[in-house]
Amino acid sequence: MTSRRSTARTLLAMLVAVATMMALPAFAGANTPITAYSALPSNGQAGGHPDVELHFAVENRILQHSESPCNCEDAKDAILHLPPGFIGNPHATPQCSIAEFSADECPIDSQVGITNVKASNGFPFNSAVYNIIPPPDVSGLLGFKLFLFDTPQFTVLSSRTGGDYGLDADTTSIYHGIFPLQELKEVLWGVPAGTSHDQLRLDKTKVPGEMPSYLGELCDAAGSLSTDDPNTVVQPCFTNFIGVAPVHSNSPLNPFLQNPTTCADPLSSSLDVLSYDGGTSHADHAWPEMTGCDQLSFNPSLYAQPTTSATDSASGIEVNLSVPQQFSPTIPSPTELRGATVTLPEGFSINSNAADGKTSCTDAEANFGTTLAAHCPDFAKVGSLTIDSSALPGPVPGFIYLGMPLAGNRYRVFLVADGFATHIKLAGTVSADPVTGQLKVIFTELPQSPLTAFDMHFFGSERGMLATPTQCGTYPVESTFEPWDSSLGSQRSTQYFTLTTGPNGTPCPGAVRPFEPAFHAASSNHSPGAHASFALELRRADGQQDMAGLTVATPPGFLATLAGVPYCPEAAIAHAAGLRASGLTELESPSCPAASQVGTATVGAGAGSHPLYVPGKAYLAGPYKGAPLSLVVITPAVAGPYDLGNVVVRAAIRVDPVDAHVTATADRLPSIIEGIPLRLRSIRVNLDRPEFALNPTRCRPLAVHADIQGDQGTVAALTSHYQVANCGTLPFGPKLRLRLSGSTTRTGNPALQATVSAREGEANISSAVVTLPHTEFLDNAHIKSPCTRVQFAADACPASTVIGHASAVTPLLAQPLEGPVLLRSSSHKLPDIVVMLQGQIDIELDGRITSTHGRLRTHFEDVPDAPLKKFTLSLAGGKRGLLENGAVANICSVPEFATTRMTGQNGAVKAGRVPIALPCHQQGPTGSTKTRRSQRRGVSHR
């Protein structure tokens, strides 16, 4: 027999060589028309294990009467596309090695079917189809040999992992020598070890070695499918091997083929034939409608367990999804899993620091839509997994990646597994409730493939993808599973996990969690009256209440230079906070102008010891919620591949009118953004604009106060020590000028103007006492109806109480502060004089009026620790005059001096007598009128 085969091969080679020598150029566009095609299972039971008969015929070069000897019209490849859900399991039977196949020594139990081939010479011949051990890059391999030339033909089995995960069978490099392929009929056995196939099971050790023993007749394909019992494996329509006794298989009755498990959708198969010239032909054939879906089972289950049993902690999660399969040759396989929705308990959320340092995998990198392996970046990896399939010999390892966010589908996960020449790529969606952060993990349109188990491990550690609820207890994980056949209905199940400790092994918290945040505030240097950056920081530990609100009060004397700092426009703030705002755009092109920036902010968020720190910017803004100023902090919420817009927090800034200390009250701090609870861990604000924040000039111990509100209502009142040093080094030398105008006669009511000026770099004024000379009294007739305190609090003082006007120029503001001077009732014998300075901020100076040794004295006891260029106080004369001349007939008759004492914030004192300029006129030597002053120049107080 070996000699005959060798002779045949030699003869064939000679004929091919002669034909090649006589070859002419190929005819362009040649193809191999398909004249017949069918693919039919022996029964239509959904999930059943039928034999499948494949039949096709083509027009080769001989049938086309081609004169081209290049064999271009012959079939080169035949690719069969079986319907989705039809499954072939190459690991259900023993496999034959390539060496055994080449030596015709394949085990009997590795035969999975039989092929009948008809060549162009009209002779049909049969051949056994064997399950071959595939090479590493192939998931399944079938093989048979052409009789005449002992030529092997291989069929590669693969899954359409780029689409519907259906089964493809690709027969490549089809023999096209002297007698090219004309017709092929192949029957693959649903249960290869079944006794119905014994007559066609080929044991070559028992087959006579004569050529005729392999010849058989090709019978009608339709006849092979007739049977009264749809569960009976039919006898293929082949002529038995001549002289061969039935051969029984010793293998288990494992199904090799399986019908789809859905009865609703029409199914079909198709065939593509590629010619040696590159032409293609295509044919379709309807697949019988599946029936008996009511006989299918569907019983998936899911187990989920966080990687920690501690509350309010970073966590991974272990998820084990099982879809049981059964492998009975007579019982239909269960329907496959089409969709799964897993709802995690409320409080078990995405950890806001999980994406730090991460990137995402694009659809192109995942190679969706192709059968190629995914190539997702390592920095997108968030977990590991293994996937089991009854069609594969073992688990397929893989990883879980963050998928590139899409509009309307922000949180995506890709399951990628590679093994046994199969590249699985599944996309899922994580839905986060925008109010509670509760998570739903959703996989839809899973492949109609026997995936029996998903074992997923989402990484934990200190930047775990998830964060646990804040209370100990037992929590449900609810699952909903959808079968491929919808008539079976969805299945629901609930599984539980338990949290037993607080973070880091601490005891479980009570219903109201503790709230003990840390607070610290400091300037970058401690020089009095110096500009220095100022930073404050809040911190909260895991297990405590979330920070929900914040009010900070700075010490008196801590101020800021607002001159030259424009407000961030309201429209810009609204733009940054808009629903369509982009954090990346904010980073590249801030909404507020750079000129309005006064500092930076850094927010730490997320459970665990490594929060995510996100930078932001602080801007000066205009009036807000009744306050004259506001501070706006805009933080682009960008972490890894996620752009969640901007977090905009605005604080109303109120300046105390008495001592000018600043109180900033922030809006409620955000707790969740785009479904991700922030779990704020720290807030740091640094006012670092050059020449902005200003230290006080008083060195006594002070404090920055903070009231921090927890999300469960607890308020933590905290202080941070604040003190500057070396205030005694500051000079203190303000100047005071006084002028009377108007009436100079007794009982007249003169007007008074007082002007205080100071130099830059000096200590600020703390208090001032001015005692007028004996010639000036208080006109009791003009102080009978001062503004009451109730009227003053309601800003409703009568106009009759206004006795003058004042203005103040400070380097801190671009415009002077000015406003009325009025009398207000007090608890003393005489009313108080109140200076109302209004402008960008409002300041009140309260002066106490007393009489000492018959002289009128005014004492401003609590002057704000603020730098002053010039302060002018003008008291009206005449009918509204507060002062009345007395003691002498005319005040111009004697020099007028006031006694003053001004104290600096650093304790320095400047006291002495100050001359008062008087409106006294006398005839000069040349007849001109001159004003007589008590003293032309001020008196030194040093």
Side-chain angles (χ1 to χ4, degrees):
M1 178 177 176
T2 303
S3 175
R4 290 182 180 181
R5 290 183 178 178
S6 176
T7 301
R9 285 195 293 267
T10 303
L11 177 61
L12 173 62
M14 292 174 62
L15 291 172
V16 171
V18 171
T20 302
M21 292 169 52
M22 299 174 60
L24 296 174
F27 175 73
N31 63 7
T32 309
I34 300 171
T35 58
Y37 166 64
S38 65
L40 294 170
S42 59
N43 67 69
Q45 170 62 52
H49 310 293
D51 294 350
V52 175
E53 181 183 87
L54 312 173
H55 173 229
F56 71 89
V58 295
E59 288 191 3
N60 53 38
R61 68 178 188 273
I62 294 175
L63 295 176
Q64 295 184 53
H65 304 291
S66 171
E67 297 182 358
S68 171
C70 70
N71 302 342
C72 296
E73 296 86 352
D74 294 345
K76 177 178 181 291
D77 297 333
I79 306 172
L80 174 64
H81 308 288
L82 290 160
F86 184 84
I87 296 162
N89 181 6
H91 310 285
T93 72
Q95 292 179 310
C96 177
S97 69
I98 289 292
E100 291 172 326
F101 181 70
S102 299
D104 293 333
E105 296 178 353
C106 283
I108 294 172
D109 294 337
S110 65
Q111 185 179 350
V112 294
I114 188 167
T115 293
N116 184 284
V117 177
K118 182 178 181 181
S120 59
N121 61 3
F123 290 104
F125 50 88
N126 297 323
S127 180
V129 179
Y130 293 101
N131 188 12
I132 308 296
I133 297 175
D137 59 342
V138 174
S139 57
L141 187 66
L142 305 180
F144 66 90
K145 287 188 177 180
L146 297 177
F147 157 69
L148 182 59
F149 307 109
D150 200 26
T151 303
Q153 290 289 167
F154 295 104
T155 299
V156 175
L157 303 180
S158 62
S159 175
R160 296 190 292 271
T161 55
D164 58 16
Y165 280 72
L167 179 63
D168 279 354
D170 186 357
T171 302
T172 61
S173 301
I174 298 173
Y175 171 77
H176 71 134
I178 297 175
F179 305 119
L181 174 69
Q182 178 175 327
E183 190 171 6
L184 179 144
K185 182 172 70 172
E186 182 172 277
V187 173
L188 297 178
W189 298 333
V191 184
T195 57
S196 60
H197 308 308
D198 290 354
Q199 191 67 44
L200 294 176
R201 209 179 310 280
L202 178 59
D203 184 350
K204 285 203 171 185
T205 62
K206 300 179 181 179
V207 174
E210 298 299 321
M211 184 183 302
S213 65
Y214 288 91
L215 298 179
E217 295 296 331
L218 186 68
C219 58
D220 184 12
S224 69
L225 297 174
S226 60
T227 176
D228 294 332
D229 184 357
N231 294 316
T232 300
V233 179
V234 300
Q235 176 68 31
C237 184
F238 284 100
T239 301
N240 293 344
F241 289 114
I242 300 173
V244 177
V247 178
H248 182 67
S249 171
N250 293 319
S251 291
L253 294 175
N254 292 332
F256 176 64
L257 302 177
Q258 177 187 308
N259 264 335
T261 58
T262 176
C263 297
D265 301 326
L267 303 172
S268 66
S269 67
S270 64
L271 177 72
D272 290 314
V273 174
L274 282 68
S275 70
Y276 274 89
D277 194 42
T280 61
S281 298
H282 180 82
D284 295 293
H285 190 266
W287 194 266
E289 180 180 352
M290 295 292 99
T291 60
C293 281
D294 58 338
Q295 300 180 37
L296 304 182
S297 61
F298 182 60
N299 190 31
S301 62
L302 181 135
Y303 170 82
Q305 181 72 32
T307 58
T308 179
S309 60
T311 64
D312 199 17
S313 301
S315 177
I317 190 170
E318 303 281 355
V319 179
N320 306 114
L321 171 59
S322 175
V323 187
Q325 293 289 316
Q326 55 191 3
F327 305 104
S328 168
T330 58
I331 299 176
S333 294
T335 184
E336 289 90 4
L337 179 67
R338 185 170 193 167
T341 299
V342 179
T343 303
L344 298 176
E346 189 171 327
F348 197 81
S349 62
I350 295 175
N351 197 2
S352 55
N353 64 1
D356 190 19
K358 296 292 184 184
T359 184
S360 63
C361 183
T362 66
D363 289 38
E365 290 171 327
N367 275 320
F368 285 120
T370 77
T371 58
L372 301 175
H375 295 287
C376 291
D378 278 346
F379 285 120
K381 190 181 298 180
V382 295
S384 60
L385 81 155
T386 57
I387 297 178
D388 270 353
S389 171
S390 61
L392 297 174
V396 180
F399 294 98
I400 307 170
Y401 296 93
L402 294 180
M404 183 182 68
L406 300 177
N409 190 5
R410 189 188 302 275
Y411 308 121
R412 306 167 70 209
V413 289
F414 294 165
L415 307 185
V416 174
D418 299 284
F420 310 107
T422 301
H423 307 300
I424 300 172
K425 297 156 292 186
L426 306 174
T429 294
V430 178
S431 170
D433 187 282
V435 177
T436 66
Q438 187 172 22
L439 299 178
K440 287 185 178 181
V441 184
I442 305 167
F443 282 87
T444 60
E445 297 304 315
L446 292 171
Q448 195 173 350
S449 180
L451 302 176
T452 59
F454 296 81
D455 292 331
M456 294 171 279
H457 168 70
F458 287 86
F459 297 148
S461 74
E462 289 304 316
R463 283 186 177 165
M465 288 298 300
L466 302 168
T468 56
T470 59
Q471 297 289 337
C472 291
T474 300
Y475 291 88
V477 178
E478 298 177 346
S479 304
T480 302
F481 306 108
E482 302 294 337
W484 260 97
D485 190 82
S486 58
S487 66
L488 297 176
S490 59
Q491 298 286 332
R492 292 177 172 82
S493 67
T494 302
Q495 175 255 323
Y496 298 88
F497 67 82
T498 302
L499 301 180
T500 58
T501 70
N504 303 310
T506 58
C508 286
V512 177
R513 288 173 289 151
F515 190 55
E516 299 174 353
F519 172 65
H520 180 70
S523 293
S524 59
N525 73 59
H526 303 290
S527 298
H531 284 99
S533 61
F534 173 80
L536 62 85
E537 183 175 31
L538 309 173
R539 287 191 175 276
R540 174 193 74 87
D542 285 332
Q544 298 191 6
Q545 295 179 39
D546 288 331
M547 293 184 287
L550 173 64
T551 297
V552 176
T554 61
F558 175 81
L559 302 170
T561 301
L562 304 183
V565 184
Y567 294 158
C568 178
E570 294 295 326
I573 299 172
H575 176 267
L579 293 177
R580 297 184 179 180
S582 164
L584 288 173
T585 300
E586 184 68 24
L587 287 171
E588 295 171 358
S589 179
S591 300
C592 293
S596 64
Q597 184 180 350
V598 296
T600 59
T602 303
V603 177
S609 61
H610 294 83
L612 165 68
Y613 293 99
V614 182
K617 295 181 178 180
Y619 300 92
L620 183 67
Y624 183 63
K625 292 187 175 180
L629 303 169
S630 58
L631 187 72
V632 176
V633 176
I634 301 176
T635 305
V638 177
Y642 301 115
D643 180 353
L644 306 183
N646 300 308
V647 176
V648 178
V649 176
R650 195 167 183 178
I653 297 178
R654 292 174 171 83
V655 180
D656 186 273
V658 177
D659 63 8
H661 81 269
V662 174
T663 300
T665 303
D667 291 340
R668 185 173 179 85
L669 299 177
S671 61
I672 189 169
I673 178 171
E674 296 294 330
I676 299 181
L678 297 181
R679 302 187 190 232
L680 293 175
R681 298 291 301 283
S682 65
I683 300 172
R684 179 183 175 89
V685 178
N686 187 16
L687 301 178
D688 57 0
R689 180 189 179 102
E691 304 297 313
F692 182 68
L694 185 68
N695 286 343
T697 60
R698 173 176 289 192
C699 284
R700 70 178 183 181
L702 301 171
V704 182
H705 298 270
D707 288 338
I708 310 170
Q709 294 85 43
D711 67 331
Q712 291 184 294
T714 304
V715 177
L718 305 175
T719 60
S720 179
H721 178 75
Y722 185 92
Q723 189 173 9
V724 295
N726 302 318
C727 293
T729 62
L730 294 177
F732 182 67
K735 293 182 178 180
L736 172 65
R737 295 183 182 276
L738 297 172
R739 175 187 296 273
L740 289 174
S741 61
S743 175
T744 61
T745 61
R746 180 181 295 177
T747 71
N749 297 110
L752 173 67
Q753 184 181 76
T755 302
V756 178
S757 59
R759 292 175 298 180
E760 185 177 356
E762 294 184 341
N764 300 323
I765 299 173
S766 172
S767 66
V769 181
V770 178
T771 305
L772 295 178
H774 290 282
T775 56
E776 300 303 323
F777 297 95
L778 195 64
D779 191 338
N780 291 326
H782 293 170
I783 63 171
K784 290 181 179 179
S785 299
C787 180
T788 68
R789 289 190 174 271
V790 174
Q791 291 172 322
F792 184 85
D795 195 21
C797 289
S800 60
T801 64
V802 176
I803 60 171
H805 184 270
S807 67
V809 178
T810 171
L812 302 183
L813 304 176
Q815 299 295 327
L817 300 178
E818 54 183 329
V821 179
L822 52 85
L823 287 177
R824 185 185 64 190
S825 60
S826 73
S827 58
H828 309 109
K829 293 182 178 180
L830 297 175
D832 292 337
I833 182 171
V834 181
V835 179
M836 305 290 293
L837 295 173
Q838 300 168 338
Q840 193 171 10
I841 62 173
D842 294 343
I843 296 294
E844 299 173 10
L845 297 177
D846 292 350
R848 179 182 175 187
I849 302 174
T850 60
S851 177
T852 176
H853 303 294
R855 301 175 63 183
L856 189 63
R857 182 175 68 181
T858 303
H859 186 185
F860 290 93
E861 295 178 328
D862 297 307
V863 178
D865 188 359
L868 182 70
K869 283 186 177 180
K870 184 179 180 180
F871 172 76
T872 302
L873 173 67
S874 299
L875 298 180
K879 294 181 179 180
R880 292 187 300 148
L882 179 68
L883 301 179
E884 178 182 356
N885 295 327
V888 294
N890 192 312
I891 60 174
C892 292
S893 61
V894 294
E896 297 285 350
F897 291 89
T899 302
T900 67
R901 180 184 176 87
M902 287 186 282
T903 305
Q905 296 284 347
N906 62 349
V909 175
K910 182 178 181 180
R913 300 175 67 208
V914 176
I916 302 176
L918 299 174
C920 302
H921 299 281
Q922 64 181 7
Q923 191 70 26
T926 59
S928 62
T929 301
K930 297 181 179 180
T931 300
R932 182 175 66 82
R933 299 180 183 273
S934 301
Q935 186 171 316
R936 292 296 181 183
R937 299 188 180 183
V939 177
S940 173
H941 296 261
R942 298 185 183 275

